[in-house]
């Protein structure tokens, strides 16, 4: 019987409702019930349990997963909480199945974002920091100097986040435009990095996530090809292993 039990956040992600992180937030907010009882974090679900989110029954998956590449326009917010944000990505796309974005792209930014109903692949992509390249084209408010390129590429301490950015690839395109490839996902990272160097971002577009390239007009989406999906899964194949090793290391350090 114990082999049939699943952690509640995993159950919701495998059912295609949301990612595990989002599921944890729903559980913490008291919006999830098991057999009409509000559960604690870490509760497990049995095959005959009835799981609901906001009163809606969430059942086991019956269909194949959806994987979309979407060109997000400026002004659209990457949230699934349609009750709070009217300009949200879910209402904008209006896809016939429930899907959710993989990561985020700021409201004033545009470009590529992936959407899916596969909660497990979301977690693997977000964990795959070593292979999770994201490429952007950025325009700033003043001429780009070689010093600016070197500072951006070398890593910057962001005081308000108390974090250093990782070294990254930066290339000047023209007088006001550069490309940058990140493997981090800090909040408003590129804008913060530019601000540190006394530059202001005028436009920011993401053109690639790992092996997936932006190739659809603004506001439109397409399904990933079989080849794209295979290459993507190859890139994130070690992410679970890396995550588990990190958690074991954290637990060992905690015991000391």
């Amino acid at each position: 019987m114990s082999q049939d039990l699943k952690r509640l956040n995993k159950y919701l992600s495998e059912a295609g409702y949301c990612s595990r992180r989002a599921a944890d937030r729903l559980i913490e907010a008291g919006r999830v019930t098991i057999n009409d009882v509000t559960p604690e974090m870490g509760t497990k679900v049995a095959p005959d349990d009835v799981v609901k989110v906001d009163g809606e029954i969430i059942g086991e998956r019956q269909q194949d997963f959806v994987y979309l590449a979407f060109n997000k326009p400026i002004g659209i917010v990457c949230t699934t909480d349609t009750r709070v944000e009217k300009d949200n990505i879910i209402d904008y796309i209006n896809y016939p199945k429930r899907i959710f974005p993989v990561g985020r792209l700021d409201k004033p930014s545009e470009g590529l974002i992936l959407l899916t109903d596969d909660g497990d692949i979301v977690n693997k992509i977000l964990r795959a920091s070593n292979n999770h390249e994201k490429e952007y084209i950025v325009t700033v408010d003043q001429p780009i100097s070689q010093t600016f390129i070197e500072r951006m590429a070398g890593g910057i301490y962001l005081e308000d986040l108390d974090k250093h950015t990782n070294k990254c690839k930066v290339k000047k395109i023209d007088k006001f435009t550069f490309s940058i490839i990140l493997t981090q996902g800090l909040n408003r990272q590129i804008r913060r990095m530019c601000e540190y160097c006394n530059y202001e971002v005028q436009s920011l577009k993401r053109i690639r996530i790992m092996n997936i390239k932006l190739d659809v007009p603004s506001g439109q989406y397409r399904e990933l090809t079989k080849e794209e999906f295979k290459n993507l899964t190859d890139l994130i194949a070690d992410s679970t292993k890396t995550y588990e090793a990190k958690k074991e290391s954290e637990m060992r350090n905690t015991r000391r």
Side-chain angles (χ1 to χ4, degrees):
M1 177 64 179
S2 61
Q3 294 180 348
D4 295 329
L5 297 178
K6 291 182 183 177
R7 289 178 65 93
L8 181 54
N9 61 356
K10 184 178 181 182
Y11 177 91
L12 290 172
S13 72
E14 289 185 353
Y17 189 84
C18 60
S19 68
R20 292 194 198 182
R21 289 184 182 181
D24 286 339
R25 291 194 291 269
L26 291 172
I27 297 165
E28 288 177 354
R31 293 170 58 185
V32 183
T33 61
I34 301 176
N35 303 325
D36 295 322
V37 176
T38 303
E40 298 178 352
M41 292 292 294
T43 299
K44 294 186 177 181
V45 180
D48 57 348
D49 285 338
V50 177
V51 177
K52 297 179 183 178
V53 178
D54 297 331
E56 173 191 351
I57 296 177
I58 309 301
E60 294 281 359
R61 162 166 302 280
Q62 301 296 327
Q63 298 175 317
D64 291 337
F65 288 113
V66 172
Y67 305 97
L68 303 180
F70 173 56
N71 188 346
K72 184 191 90 67
I74 294 171
I76 300 301
V77 181
C78 296
T79 179
T80 58
D81 198 339
T82 58
R83 303 174 306 173
V84 175
E85 179 57 64
K86 66 175 182 177
D87 296 321
N88 66 82
I89 193 169
I90 302 303
D91 285 343
Y92 185 92
I93 293 179
N94 196 27
Y95 196 75
K97 295 176 65 178
R98 181 181 178 86
I99 55 176
F100 40 90
V102 182
R104 300 182 66 85
L105 194 58
D106 292 342
K107 186 174 182 177
S109 303
E110 61 182 320
L112 179 63
I113 187 162
L114 305 180
L115 295 103
T116 183
D117 55 353
D118 181 354
D120 274 352
I121 202 169
V122 173
N123 293 299
K124 289 177 180 177
I125 289 174
L126 296 180
R127 291 172 189 163
S129 57
N130 291 335
N131 292 322
H132 189 184
E133 284 193 350
K134 294 167 291 184
E135 185 173 358
Y136 302 81
I137 301 297
V138 186
T139 301
V140 289
D141 63 335
Q142 55 183 303
I144 295 169
S145 66
Q146 184 59 32
T147 299
F148 171 79
I149 295 294
E150 292 173 359
R151 291 175 80 184
M152 293 285 285
I156 292 173
Y157 175 66
L158 303 178
E159 186 174 356
D160 52 344
L161 297 182
D162 192 25
K163 290 183 181 293
H164 277 94
T165 63
N166 293 340
K167 291 184 178 181
C168 58
K169 299 174 184 176
V170 184
K171 182 180 179 181
K172 182 177 178 179
I173 296 175
D174 60 34
K175 187 175 182 180
F176 296 96
T177 308
F178 66 95
S179 67
I180 182 169
I181 300 175
L182 302 179
T183 56
Q184 274 176 300
L186 301 179
N187 183 31
R188 298 181 67 252
Q189 180 171 343
I190 296 173
R191 295 179 188 275
R192 291 177 189 274
M193 292 170 70
C194 288
E195 287 170 6
Y196 177 88
C197 298
N198 297 314
Y199 283 72
E200 182 178 333
V201 172
Q202 301 296 298
S203 67
L204 190 156
K205 177 185 284 190
R206 184 157 64 196
I207 61 170
R208 179 172 64 87
I209 298 175
M210 302 172 82
N211 64 301
I212 313 299
K213 296 180 179 179
L214 181 66
D215 58 2
V216 292
S218 179
Q220 295 189 26
Y221 64 84
R222 65 170 177 82
E223 294 184 357
L224 298 191
T225 67
K226 290 182 179 179
E227 183 178 0
E228 283 176 327
F229 181 72
K230 180 183 181 303
N231 291 339
L232 178 65
T233 52
D234 286 345
L235 287 170
I236 63 176
D238 292 332
S239 64
T240 300
K241 200 180 302 178
T242 302
Y243 174 76
E244 290 172 350
K246 179 181 178 182
K247 295 302 287 185
E248 288 177 7
S249 175
E250 289 174 351
M251 289 177 67
R252 285 196 299 270
N253 291 336
T254 302
R255 296 191 195 106
R256 292 174 182 172

